[in-house]
Amino acid sequence: MILHVCTGNQARSPMAERLMIAGLRTRRGAEAGELTVASAGIRGPAGRPMQQHAAEELRSRGVSPRGFVSRVLTDLDLGRARLVLTATRDQRDALISAAPVVMRTKTFTWRELSWLLAGAGPGDLPDADLSARVTALAEFAQGRRGLRTPPDPSMLDVADPMGGPRRDYKTAAADIDAAVDAILQVMAG
């Protein structure tokens, strides 16, 4: 499972979840259904629809927001996930500090992972099923930590658009879309 995490699971992580599912279907067809892609919020609330502007951003990219309902992150989610992607460094760090041995090797921000994968291609991962490629992707990226000159730390976060105008959602969606696409280029070819 690939798990996308943000604060309330109503804007950033739902956009990432739906963009990744759509990208996997485009790249891998029916095989995409073998991989679970989900999202959750650190603080909830559960049972809410996606924010209207976030849904509009997905629709503008040809991706359906239909049927989305927010959920609160659970320990079971974290245990099942082969890759955990967060909106911000603070969220990433909170998850890692809660379970450092388990989470350190599989938790990144969206933009951090796309930065770590720069210059890599599908051939840098083993020729395996999609689920195994997810695990290999996390290991590959982890191996690149500390080997590349990092960007300004703020460039690794996606700002929270909640409560802001439509342009804030547009910016967040563009940042997430670019990061998800970079990740999928390596993971799914």
PDB file of all heavy atoms in Angstrom, residues 5-7 12 85-94 108-115 151-161 168 171-179:
ATOM      1  N   VAL A   5      -0.541  11.153   3.348  1.00  0.00           N
ATOM      2  CA  VAL A   5      -0.947  11.702   4.634  1.00  0.00           C
ATOM      3  C   VAL A   5      -0.826  13.219   4.639  1.00  0.00           C
ATOM      4  O   VAL A   5       0.172  13.779   4.179  1.00  0.00           O
ATOM      5  CB  VAL A   5      -0.069  11.117   5.769  1.00  0.00           C
ATOM      6  CG1 VAL A   5      -0.438  11.727   7.120  1.00  0.00           C
ATOM      7  CG2 VAL A   5      -0.189   9.599   5.815  1.00  0.00           C
ATOM      8  N   CYS A   6      -1.864  13.873   5.168  1.00  0.00           N
ATOM      9  CA  CYS A   6      -1.795  15.309   5.460  1.00  0.00           C
ATOM     10  C   CYS A   6      -2.513  15.530   6.796  1.00  0.00           C
ATOM     11  O   CYS A   6      -2.724  14.585   7.542  1.00  0.00           O
ATOM     12  CB  CYS A   6      -2.363  16.156   4.323  1.00  0.00           C
ATOM     13  SG  CYS A   6      -4.145  16.047   4.088  1.00  0.00           S
ATOM     14  N   THR A   7      -2.896  16.743   7.072  1.00  0.00           N
ATOM     15  CA  THR A   7      -3.493  17.043   8.369  1.00  0.00           C
ATOM     16  C   THR A   7      -4.901  16.496   8.509  1.00  0.00           C
ATOM     17  O   THR A   7      -5.189  15.691   9.384  1.00  0.00           O
ATOM     18  CB  THR A   7      -3.483  18.568   8.621  1.00  0.00           C
ATOM     19  OG1 THR A   7      -2.152  19.052   8.480  1.00  0.00           O
ATOM     20  CG2 THR A   7      -4.003  18.892  10.006  1.00  0.00           C
ATOM     21  N   ARG A  12      -5.063  18.029   0.466  1.00  0.00           N
ATOM     22  CA  ARG A  12      -3.797  17.597  -0.131  1.00  0.00           C
ATOM     23  C   ARG A  12      -3.693  16.083  -0.319  1.00  0.00           C
ATOM     24  O   ARG A  12      -3.431  15.609  -1.426  1.00  0.00           O
ATOM     25  CB  ARG A  12      -2.616  18.109   0.703  1.00  0.00           C
ATOM     26  CG  ARG A  12      -2.482  19.621   0.674  1.00  0.00           C
ATOM     27  CD  ARG A  12      -1.443  20.120   1.639  1.00  0.00           C
ATOM     28  NE  ARG A  12      -1.872  19.871   3.019  1.00  0.00           N
ATOM     29  CZ  ARG A  12      -1.143  20.167   4.088  1.00  0.00           C
ATOM     30  NH1 ARG A  12       0.063  20.687   3.947  1.00  0.00           N
ATOM     31  NH2 ARG A  12      -1.603  19.937   5.302  1.00  0.00           N
ATOM     32  N   LEU A  85       3.754   8.827   2.144  1.00  0.00           N
ATOM     33  CA  LEU A  85       4.088  10.133   1.575  1.00  0.00           C
ATOM     34  C   LEU A  85       3.269  11.205   2.277  1.00  0.00           C
ATOM     35  O   LEU A  85       2.047  11.098   2.373  1.00  0.00           O
ATOM     36  CB  LEU A  85       3.802  10.130   0.073  1.00  0.00           C
ATOM     37  CG  LEU A  85       4.625   9.102  -0.707  1.00  0.00           C
ATOM     38  CD1 LEU A  85       4.133   8.981  -2.137  1.00  0.00           C
ATOM     39  CD2 LEU A  85       6.095   9.465  -0.659  1.00  0.00           C
ATOM     40  N   THR A  86       3.947  12.233   2.763  1.00  0.00           N
ATOM     41  CA  THR A  86       3.291  13.290   3.525  1.00  0.00           C
ATOM     42  C   THR A  86       3.364  14.618   2.782  1.00  0.00           C
ATOM     43  O   THR A  86       4.185  14.802   1.879  1.00  0.00           O
ATOM     44  CB  THR A  86       3.941  13.463   4.908  1.00  0.00           C
ATOM     45  OG1 THR A  86       5.281  13.944   4.753  1.00  0.00           O
ATOM     46  CG2 THR A  86       3.953  12.167   5.693  1.00  0.00           C
ATOM     47  N   ALA A  87       2.543  15.540   3.237  1.00  0.00           N
ATOM     48  CA  ALA A  87       2.536  16.880   2.648  1.00  0.00           C
ATOM     49  C   ALA A  87       3.725  17.709   3.128  1.00  0.00           C
ATOM     50  O   ALA A  87       4.281  18.485   2.361  1.00  0.00           O
ATOM     51  CB  ALA A  87       1.221  17.596   2.978  1.00  0.00           C
ATOM     52  N   THR A  88       4.113  17.537   4.393  1.00  0.00           N
ATOM     53  CA  THR A  88       5.155  18.401   4.963  1.00  0.00           C
ATOM     54  C   THR A  88       6.226  17.599   5.709  1.00  0.00           C
ATOM     55  O   THR A  88       6.005  16.462   6.121  1.00  0.00           O
ATOM     56  CB  THR A  88       4.551  19.417   5.955  1.00  0.00           C
ATOM     57  OG1 THR A  88       4.061  18.699   7.101  1.00  0.00           O
ATOM     58  CG2 THR A  88       3.437  20.244   5.313  1.00  0.00           C
ATOM     59  N   ARG A  89       7.347  18.264   5.924  1.00  0.00           N
ATOM     60  CA  ARG A  89       8.425  17.678   6.712  1.00  0.00           C
ATOM     61  C   ARG A  89       7.986  17.448   8.149  1.00  0.00           C
ATOM     62  O   ARG A  89       8.368  16.453   8.759  1.00  0.00           O
ATOM     63  CB  ARG A  89       9.660  18.580   6.675  1.00  0.00           C
ATOM     64  CG  ARG A  89      10.338  18.633   5.323  1.00  0.00           C
ATOM     65  CD  ARG A  89      11.342  19.774   5.228  1.00  0.00           C
ATOM     66  NE  ARG A  89      10.588  21.027   5.255  1.00  0.00           N
ATOM     67  CZ  ARG A  89      10.881  22.073   6.027  1.00  0.00           C
ATOM     68  NH1 ARG A  89      11.918  22.059   6.814  1.00  0.00           N
ATOM     69  NH2 ARG A  89      10.125  23.154   5.992  1.00  0.00           N
ATOM     70  N   ASP A  90       7.192  18.367   8.709  1.00  0.00           N
ATOM     71  CA  ASP A  90       6.722  18.192  10.088  1.00  0.00           C
ATOM     72  C   ASP A  90       5.881  16.925  10.216  1.00  0.00           C
ATOM     73  O   ASP A  90       6.010  16.186  11.202  1.00  0.00           O
ATOM     74  CB  ASP A  90       5.907  19.405  10.548  1.00  0.00           C
ATOM     75  CG  ASP A  90       6.771  20.627  10.820  1.00  0.00           C
ATOM     76  OD1 ASP A  90       8.009  20.482  10.945  1.00  0.00           O
ATOM     77  OD2 ASP A  90       6.196  21.724  10.919  1.00  0.00           O
ATOM     78  N   GLN A  91       5.020  16.671   9.250  1.00  0.00           N
ATOM     79  CA  GLN A  91       4.216  15.452   9.280  1.00  0.00           C
ATOM     80  C   GLN A  91       5.103  14.222   9.135  1.00  0.00           C
ATOM     81  O   GLN A  91       4.945  13.233   9.859  1.00  0.00           O
ATOM     82  CB  GLN A  91       3.151  15.494   8.180  1.00  0.00           C
ATOM     83  CG  GLN A  91       2.106  16.547   8.430  1.00  0.00           C
ATOM     84  CD  GLN A  91       1.316  16.926   7.199  1.00  0.00           C
ATOM     85  OE1 GLN A  91       1.659  16.531   6.079  1.00  0.00           O
ATOM     86  NE2 GLN A  91       0.270  17.704   7.382  1.00  0.00           N
ATOM     87  N   ARG A  92       6.033  14.283   8.197  1.00  0.00           N
ATOM     88  CA  ARG A  92       6.981  13.169   8.007  1.00  0.00           C
ATOM     89  C   ARG A  92       7.731  12.900   9.301  1.00  0.00           C
ATOM     90  O   ARG A  92       7.822  11.760   9.765  1.00  0.00           O
ATOM     91  CB  ARG A  92       7.967  13.527   6.898  1.00  0.00           C
ATOM     92  CG  ARG A  92       9.062  12.494   6.668  1.00  0.00           C
ATOM     93  CD  ARG A  92      10.277  13.096   5.980  1.00  0.00           C
ATOM     94  NE  ARG A  92      10.905  14.102   6.828  1.00  0.00           N
ATOM     95  CZ  ARG A  92      11.728  15.034   6.387  1.00  0.00           C
ATOM     96  NH1 ARG A  92      12.022  15.123   5.111  1.00  0.00           N
ATOM     97  NH2 ARG A  92      12.266  15.906   7.223  1.00  0.00           N
ATOM     98  N   ASP A  93       8.252  13.954   9.922  1.00  0.00           N
ATOM     99  CA  ASP A  93       9.058  13.794  11.137  1.00  0.00           C
ATOM    100  C   ASP A  93       8.229  13.246  12.299  1.00  0.00           C
ATOM    101  O   ASP A  93       8.728  12.439  13.090  1.00  0.00           O
ATOM    102  CB  ASP A  93       9.713  15.117  11.513  1.00  0.00           C
ATOM    103  CG  ASP A  93      10.751  15.566  10.487  1.00  0.00           C
ATOM    104  OD1 ASP A  93      11.130  14.756   9.602  1.00  0.00           O
ATOM    105  OD2 ASP A  93      11.173  16.735  10.555  1.00  0.00           O
ATOM    106  N   ALA A  94       6.975  13.664  12.390  1.00  0.00           N
ATOM    107  CA  ALA A  94       6.110  13.154  13.458  1.00  0.00           C
ATOM    108  C   ALA A  94       5.879  11.655  13.293  1.00  0.00           C
ATOM    109  O   ALA A  94       5.916  10.898  14.276  1.00  0.00           O
ATOM    110  CB  ALA A  94       4.781  13.902  13.468  1.00  0.00           C
ATOM    111  N   PHE A 108       8.486   9.789   3.358  1.00  0.00           N
ATOM    112  CA  PHE A 108       9.035  10.953   2.671  1.00  0.00           C
ATOM    113  C   PHE A 108       7.910  11.966   2.461  1.00  0.00           C
ATOM    114  O   PHE A 108       6.743  11.596   2.457  1.00  0.00           O
ATOM    115  CB  PHE A 108       9.557  10.573   1.265  1.00  0.00           C
ATOM    116  CG  PHE A 108      10.509   9.419   1.254  1.00  0.00           C
ATOM    117  CD1 PHE A 108      10.050   8.103   1.223  1.00  0.00           C
ATOM    118  CD2 PHE A 108      11.873   9.629   1.252  1.00  0.00           C
ATOM    119  CE1 PHE A 108      10.920   7.024   1.190  1.00  0.00           C
ATOM    120  CE2 PHE A 108      12.763   8.558   1.221  1.00  0.00           C
ATOM    121  CZ  PHE A 108      12.288   7.258   1.189  1.00  0.00           C
ATOM    122  N   THR A 109       8.273  13.213   2.212  1.00  0.00           N
ATOM    123  CA  THR A 109       7.255  14.128   1.688  1.00  0.00           C
ATOM    124  C   THR A 109       7.172  13.857   0.184  1.00  0.00           C
ATOM    125  O   THR A 109       8.099  13.301  -0.410  1.00  0.00           O
ATOM    126  CB  THR A 109       7.580  15.621   1.931  1.00  0.00           C
ATOM    127  OG1 THR A 109       8.615  16.045   1.045  1.00  0.00           O
ATOM    128  CG2 THR A 109       7.948  15.896   3.379  1.00  0.00           C
ATOM    129  N   TRP A 110       6.057  14.256  -0.426  1.00  0.00           N
ATOM    130  CA  TRP A 110       5.920  14.054  -1.871  1.00  0.00           C
ATOM    131  C   TRP A 110       7.074  14.706  -2.617  1.00  0.00           C
ATOM    132  O   TRP A 110       7.692  14.094  -3.478  1.00  0.00           O
ATOM    133  CB  TRP A 110       4.606  14.648  -2.404  1.00  0.00           C
ATOM    134  CG  TRP A 110       3.384  14.037  -1.844  1.00  0.00           C
ATOM    135  CD1 TRP A 110       3.038  12.708  -1.891  1.00  0.00           C
ATOM    136  CD2 TRP A 110       2.343  14.699  -1.146  1.00  0.00           C
ATOM    137  NE1 TRP A 110       1.825  12.525  -1.267  1.00  0.00           N
ATOM    138  CE2 TRP A 110       1.375  13.730  -0.804  1.00  0.00           C
ATOM    139  CE3 TRP A 110       2.102  16.027  -0.784  1.00  0.00           C
ATOM    140  CZ2 TRP A 110       0.211  14.042  -0.120  1.00  0.00           C
ATOM    141  CZ3 TRP A 110       0.941  16.340  -0.101  1.00  0.00           C
ATOM    142  CH2 TRP A 110       0.019  15.354   0.230  1.00  0.00           C
ATOM    143  N   ARG A 111       7.330  15.962  -2.267  1.00  0.00           N
ATOM    144  CA  ARG A 111       8.355  16.711  -2.999  1.00  0.00           C
ATOM    145  C   ARG A 111       9.761  16.210  -2.673  1.00  0.00           C
ATOM    146  O   ARG A 111      10.651  16.242  -3.518  1.00  0.00           O
ATOM    147  CB  ARG A 111       8.194  18.198  -2.725  1.00  0.00           C
ATOM    148  CG  ARG A 111       6.849  18.703  -3.290  1.00  0.00           C
ATOM    149  CD  ARG A 111       6.611  20.139  -2.996  1.00  0.00           C
ATOM    150  NE  ARG A 111       7.294  20.931  -4.017  1.00  0.00           N
ATOM    151  CZ  ARG A 111       7.423  22.248  -3.955  1.00  0.00           C
ATOM    152  NH1 ARG A 111       6.936  22.928  -2.943  1.00  0.00           N
ATOM    153  NH2 ARG A 111       8.038  22.891  -4.927  1.00  0.00           N
ATOM    154  N   GLU A 112       9.980  15.730  -1.455  1.00  0.00           N
ATOM    155  CA  GLU A 112      11.274  15.157  -1.087  1.00  0.00           C
ATOM    156  C   GLU A 112      11.554  13.918  -1.926  1.00  0.00           C
ATOM    157  O   GLU A 112      12.659  13.747  -2.465  1.00  0.00           O
ATOM    158  CB  GLU A 112      11.274  14.807   0.399  1.00  0.00           C
ATOM    159  CG  GLU A 112      12.508  14.053   0.861  1.00  0.00           C
ATOM    160  CD  GLU A 112      12.379  13.526   2.278  1.00  0.00           C
ATOM    161  OE1 GLU A 112      11.245  13.286   2.762  1.00  0.00           O
ATOM    162  OE2 GLU A 112      13.442  13.336   2.896  1.00  0.00           O
ATOM    163  N   LEU A 113      10.566  13.043  -2.027  1.00  0.00           N
ATOM    164  CA  LEU A 113      10.772  11.821  -2.801  1.00  0.00           C
ATOM    165  C   LEU A 113      11.017  12.142  -4.270  1.00  0.00           C
ATOM    166  O   LEU A 113      11.917  11.567  -4.894  1.00  0.00           O
ATOM    167  CB  LEU A 113       9.589  10.863  -2.643  1.00  0.00           C
ATOM    168  CG  LEU A 113       9.738   9.505  -3.333  1.00  0.00           C
ATOM    169  CD1 LEU A 113      11.006   8.776  -2.900  1.00  0.00           C
ATOM    170  CD2 LEU A 113       8.507   8.643  -3.082  1.00  0.00           C
ATOM    171  N   SER A 114      10.272  13.070  -4.818  1.00  0.00           N
ATOM    172  CA  SER A 114      10.496  13.410  -6.231  1.00  0.00           C
ATOM    173  C   SER A 114      11.890  14.002  -6.417  1.00  0.00           C
ATOM    174  O   SER A 114      12.554  13.729  -7.419  1.00  0.00           O
ATOM    175  CB  SER A 114       9.412  14.349  -6.760  1.00  0.00           C
ATOM    176  OG  SER A 114       9.478  15.608  -6.170  1.00  0.00           O
ATOM    177  N   TRP A 115      12.372  14.786  -5.458  1.00  0.00           N
ATOM    178  CA  TRP A 115      13.730  15.343  -5.519  1.00  0.00           C
ATOM    179  C   TRP A 115      14.769  14.225  -5.417  1.00  0.00           C
ATOM    180  O   TRP A 115      15.749  14.195  -6.165  1.00  0.00           O
ATOM    181  CB  TRP A 115      13.921  16.380  -4.400  1.00  0.00           C
ATOM    182  CG  TRP A 115      15.343  16.720  -4.136  1.00  0.00           C
ATOM    183  CD1 TRP A 115      16.165  17.484  -4.923  1.00  0.00           C
ATOM    184  CD2 TRP A 115      16.134  16.288  -3.028  1.00  0.00           C
ATOM    185  NE1 TRP A 115      17.413  17.548  -4.351  1.00  0.00           N
ATOM    186  CE2 TRP A 115      17.415  16.830  -3.197  1.00  0.00           C
ATOM    187  CE3 TRP A 115      15.870  15.517  -1.912  1.00  0.00           C
ATOM    188  CZ2 TRP A 115      18.438  16.615  -2.276  1.00  0.00           C
ATOM    189  CZ3 TRP A 115      16.892  15.296  -0.999  1.00  0.00           C
ATOM    190  CH2 TRP A 115      18.148  15.840  -1.195  1.00  0.00           C
ATOM    191  N   PRO A 151      17.734  20.785  -1.410  1.00  0.00           N
ATOM    192  CA  PRO A 151      17.177  22.093  -1.752  1.00  0.00           C
ATOM    193  C   PRO A 151      16.823  22.840  -0.465  1.00  0.00           C
ATOM    194  O   PRO A 151      16.919  22.278   0.633  1.00  0.00           O
ATOM    195  CB  PRO A 151      15.916  21.736  -2.539  1.00  0.00           C
ATOM    196  CG  PRO A 151      15.490  20.440  -1.960  1.00  0.00           C
ATOM    197  CD  PRO A 151      16.769  19.715  -1.615  1.00  0.00           C
ATOM    198  N   ASP A 152      16.385  24.069  -0.598  1.00  0.00           N
ATOM    199  CA  ASP A 152      15.863  24.798   0.548  1.00  0.00           C
ATOM    200  C   ASP A 152      14.781  23.925   1.180  1.00  0.00           C
ATOM    201  O   ASP A 152      13.899  23.421   0.471  1.00  0.00           O
ATOM    202  CB  ASP A 152      15.278  26.131   0.079  1.00  0.00           C
ATOM    203  CG  ASP A 152      14.729  26.948   1.214  1.00  0.00           C
ATOM    204  OD1 ASP A 152      13.626  26.599   1.693  1.00  0.00           O
ATOM    205  OD2 ASP A 152      15.387  27.920   1.621  1.00  0.00           O
ATOM    206  N   PRO A 153      14.815  23.714   2.495  1.00  0.00           N
ATOM    207  CA  PRO A 153      13.852  22.811   3.133  1.00  0.00           C
ATOM    208  C   PRO A 153      12.388  23.135   2.833  1.00  0.00           C
ATOM    209  O   PRO A 153      11.570  22.218   2.712  1.00  0.00           O
ATOM    210  CB  PRO A 153      14.150  22.960   4.631  1.00  0.00           C
ATOM    211  CG  PRO A 153      15.581  23.365   4.678  1.00  0.00           C
ATOM    212  CD  PRO A 153      15.788  24.219   3.455  1.00  0.00           C
ATOM    213  N   SER A 154      12.060  24.404   2.689  1.00  0.00           N
ATOM    214  CA  SER A 154      10.670  24.756   2.407  1.00  0.00           C
ATOM    215  C   SER A 154      10.203  24.215   1.060  1.00  0.00           C
ATOM    216  O   SER A 154       9.005  24.064   0.829  1.00  0.00           O
ATOM    217  CB  SER A 154      10.474  26.273   2.462  1.00  0.00           C
ATOM    218  OG  SER A 154      11.190  26.891   1.409  1.00  0.00           O
ATOM    219  N   MET A 155      11.144  23.901   0.178  1.00  0.00           N
ATOM    220  CA  MET A 155      10.789  23.360  -1.136  1.00  0.00           C
ATOM    221  C   MET A 155      10.331  21.900  -1.051  1.00  0.00           C
ATOM    222  O   MET A 155       9.889  21.335  -2.040  1.00  0.00           O
ATOM    223  CB  MET A 155      11.974  23.465  -2.101  1.00  0.00           C
ATOM    224  CG  MET A 155      12.392  24.900  -2.390  1.00  0.00           C
ATOM    225  SD  MET A 155      11.050  25.909  -3.046  1.00  0.00           S
ATOM    226  CE  MET A 155      10.687  25.085  -4.570  1.00  0.00           C
ATOM    227  N   LEU A 156      10.441  21.302   0.125  1.00  0.00           N
ATOM    228  CA  LEU A 156      10.036  19.910   0.293  1.00  0.00           C
ATOM    229  C   LEU A 156       8.603  19.781   0.810  1.00  0.00           C
ATOM    230  O   LEU A 156       8.080  18.678   0.909  1.00  0.00           O
ATOM    231  CB  LEU A 156      10.997  19.192   1.243  1.00  0.00           C
ATOM    232  CG  LEU A 156      12.458  19.163   0.791  1.00  0.00           C
ATOM    233  CD1 LEU A 156      13.311  18.474   1.833  1.00  0.00           C
ATOM    234  CD2 LEU A 156      12.621  18.522  -0.568  1.00  0.00           C
ATOM    235  N   ASP A 157       7.973  20.914   1.144  1.00  0.00           N
ATOM    236  CA  ASP A 157       6.617  20.914   1.685  1.00  0.00           C
ATOM    237  C   ASP A 157       5.600  21.364   0.647  1.00  0.00           C
ATOM    238  O   ASP A 157       5.924  22.108  -0.270  1.00  0.00           O
ATOM    239  CB  ASP A 157       6.513  21.877   2.875  1.00  0.00           C
ATOM    240  CG  ASP A 157       7.319  21.439   4.087  1.00  0.00           C
ATOM    241  OD1 ASP A 157       7.713  20.259   4.157  1.00  0.00           O
ATOM    242  OD2 ASP A 157       7.558  22.288   4.964  1.00  0.00           O
ATOM    243  N   VAL A 158       4.357  20.932   0.837  1.00  0.00           N
ATOM    244  CA  VAL A 158       3.217  21.441   0.082  1.00  0.00           C
ATOM    245  C   VAL A 158       2.344  22.183   1.089  1.00  0.00           C
ATOM    246  O   VAL A 158       1.844  21.575   2.055  1.00  0.00           O
ATOM    247  CB  VAL A 158       2.415  20.318  -0.604  1.00  0.00           C
ATOM    248  CG1 VAL A 158       1.154  20.881  -1.252  1.00  0.00           C
ATOM    249  CG2 VAL A 158       3.282  19.600  -1.642  1.00  0.00           C
ATOM    250  N   ALA A 159       2.179  23.469   0.880  1.00  0.00           N
ATOM    251  CA  ALA A 159       1.425  24.305   1.813  1.00  0.00           C
ATOM    252  C   ALA A 159      -0.033  23.871   1.892  1.00  0.00           C
ATOM    253  O   ALA A 159      -0.620  23.420   0.905  1.00  0.00           O
ATOM    254  CB  ALA A 159       1.517  25.771   1.395  1.00  0.00           C
ATOM    255  N   ASP A 160      -0.606  24.032   3.073  1.00  0.00           N
ATOM    256  CA  ASP A 160      -2.000  23.661   3.307  1.00  0.00           C
ATOM    257  C   ASP A 160      -2.918  24.743   2.741  1.00  0.00           C
ATOM    258  O   ASP A 160      -2.880  25.883   3.192  1.00  0.00           O
ATOM    259  CB  ASP A 160      -2.242  23.507   4.803  1.00  0.00           C
ATOM    260  CG  ASP A 160      -3.575  22.865   5.126  1.00  0.00           C
ATOM    261  OD1 ASP A 160      -4.403  22.676   4.206  1.00  0.00           O
ATOM    262  OD2 ASP A 160      -3.791  22.547   6.309  1.00  0.00           O
ATOM    263  N   PRO A 161      -3.764  24.402   1.779  1.00  0.00           N
ATOM    264  CA  PRO A 161      -4.656  25.402   1.195  1.00  0.00           C
ATOM    265  C   PRO A 161      -5.953  25.606   1.979  1.00  0.00           C
ATOM    266  O   PRO A 161      -6.732  26.510   1.665  1.00  0.00           O
ATOM    267  CB  PRO A 161      -4.966  24.820  -0.180  1.00  0.00           C
ATOM    268  CG  PRO A 161      -4.957  23.343   0.056  1.00  0.00           C
ATOM    269  CD  PRO A 161      -3.866  23.118   1.073  1.00  0.00           C
ATOM    270  N   ASP A 168      -4.770  28.995  -3.840  1.00  0.00           N
ATOM    271  CA  ASP A 168      -3.971  28.176  -2.929  1.00  0.00           C
ATOM    272  C   ASP A 168      -4.144  26.692  -3.235  1.00  0.00           C
ATOM    273  O   ASP A 168      -3.190  25.916  -3.176  1.00  0.00           O
ATOM    274  CB  ASP A 168      -4.346  28.454  -1.478  1.00  0.00           C
ATOM    275  CG  ASP A 168      -3.946  29.849  -1.009  1.00  0.00           C
ATOM    276  OD1 ASP A 168      -3.225  30.555  -1.750  1.00  0.00           O
ATOM    277  OD2 ASP A 168      -4.371  30.236   0.105  1.00  0.00           O
ATOM    278  N   THR A 171      -2.223  25.957  -6.486  1.00  0.00           N
ATOM    279  CA  THR A 171      -0.790  25.814  -6.224  1.00  0.00           C
ATOM    280  C   THR A 171      -0.478  24.468  -5.586  1.00  0.00           C
ATOM    281  O   THR A 171       0.455  23.773  -6.009  1.00  0.00           O
ATOM    282  CB  THR A 171      -0.290  26.967  -5.324  1.00  0.00           C
ATOM    283  OG1 THR A 171      -0.509  28.209  -5.994  1.00  0.00           O
ATOM    284  CG2 THR A 171       1.182  26.820  -4.989  1.00  0.00           C
ATOM    285  N   ALA A 172      -1.257  24.094  -4.567  1.00  0.00           N
ATOM    286  CA  ALA A 172      -1.037  22.802  -3.904  1.00  0.00           C
ATOM    287  C   ALA A 172      -1.220  21.648  -4.891  1.00  0.00           C
ATOM    288  O   ALA A 172      -0.400  20.722  -4.929  1.00  0.00           O
ATOM    289  CB  ALA A 172      -1.984  22.646  -2.716  1.00  0.00           C
ATOM    290  N   ALA A 173      -2.262  21.716  -5.698  1.00  0.00           N
ATOM    291  CA  ALA A 173      -2.514  20.650  -6.677  1.00  0.00           C
ATOM    292  C   ALA A 173      -1.376  20.549  -7.688  1.00  0.00           C
ATOM    293  O   ALA A 173      -0.956  19.440  -8.041  1.00  0.00           O
ATOM    294  CB  ALA A 173      -3.840  20.893  -7.391  1.00  0.00           C
ATOM    295  N   ALA A 174      -0.867  21.677  -8.139  1.00  0.00           N
ATOM    296  CA  ALA A 174       0.245  21.661  -9.102  1.00  0.00           C
ATOM    297  C   ALA A 174       1.493  21.049  -8.471  1.00  0.00           C
ATOM    298  O   ALA A 174       2.201  20.250  -9.112  1.00  0.00           O
ATOM    299  CB  ALA A 174       0.524  23.068  -9.608  1.00  0.00           C
ATOM    300  N   ASP A 175       1.783  21.412  -7.219  1.00  0.00           N
ATOM    301  CA  ASP A 175       2.953  20.850  -6.525  1.00  0.00           C
ATOM    302  C   ASP A 175       2.810  19.339  -6.353  1.00  0.00           C
ATOM    303  O   ASP A 175       3.752  18.583  -6.583  1.00  0.00           O
ATOM    304  CB  ASP A 175       3.136  21.506  -5.151  1.00  0.00           C
ATOM    305  CG  ASP A 175       3.604  22.944  -5.215  1.00  0.00           C
ATOM    306  OD1 ASP A 175       4.064  23.392  -6.283  1.00  0.00           O
ATOM    307  OD2 ASP A 175       3.509  23.626  -4.171  1.00  0.00           O
ATOM    308  N   ILE A 176       1.622  18.913  -5.948  1.00  0.00           N
ATOM    309  CA  ILE A 176       1.376  17.480  -5.734  1.00  0.00           C
ATOM    310  C   ILE A 176       1.418  16.734  -7.064  1.00  0.00           C
ATOM    311  O   ILE A 176       2.055  15.676  -7.173  1.00  0.00           O
ATOM    312  CB  ILE A 176       0.022  17.263  -5.025  1.00  0.00           C
ATOM    313  CG1 ILE A 176       0.074  17.821  -3.601  1.00  0.00           C
ATOM    314  CG2 ILE A 176      -0.353  15.781  -5.015  1.00  0.00           C
ATOM    315  CD1 ILE A 176      -1.287  17.982  -2.947  1.00  0.00           C
ATOM    316  N   ASP A 177       0.790  17.274  -8.071  1.00  0.00           N
ATOM    317  CA  ASP A 177       0.740  16.626  -9.381  1.00  0.00           C
ATOM    318  C   ASP A 177       2.150  16.424  -9.937  1.00  0.00           C
ATOM    319  O   ASP A 177       2.491  15.343 -10.427  1.00  0.00           O
ATOM    320  CB  ASP A 177      -0.106  17.469 -10.335  1.00  0.00           C
ATOM    321  CG  ASP A 177      -0.583  16.707 -11.559  1.00  0.00           C
ATOM    322  OD1 ASP A 177      -0.403  15.472 -11.628  1.00  0.00           O
ATOM    323  OD2 ASP A 177      -1.155  17.353 -12.454  1.00  0.00           O
ATOM    324  N   ALA A 178       2.988  17.448  -9.836  1.00  0.00           N
ATOM    325  CA  ALA A 178       4.362  17.338 -10.338  1.00  0.00           C
ATOM    326  C   ALA A 178       5.148  16.284  -9.563  1.00  0.00           C
ATOM    327  O   ALA A 178       5.881  15.480 -10.153  1.00  0.00           O
ATOM    328  CB  ALA A 178       5.063  18.691 -10.250  1.00  0.00           C
ATOM    329  N   ALA A 179       4.998  16.259  -8.238  1.00  0.00           N
ATOM    330  CA  ALA A 179       5.725  15.280  -7.428  1.00  0.00           C
ATOM    331  C   ALA A 179       5.235  13.862  -7.712  1.00  0.00           C
ATOM    332  O   ALA A 179       6.049  12.948  -7.891  1.00  0.00           O
ATOM    333  CB  ALA A 179       5.568  15.614  -5.944  1.00  0.00           C
TER     334      ALA A 179
END
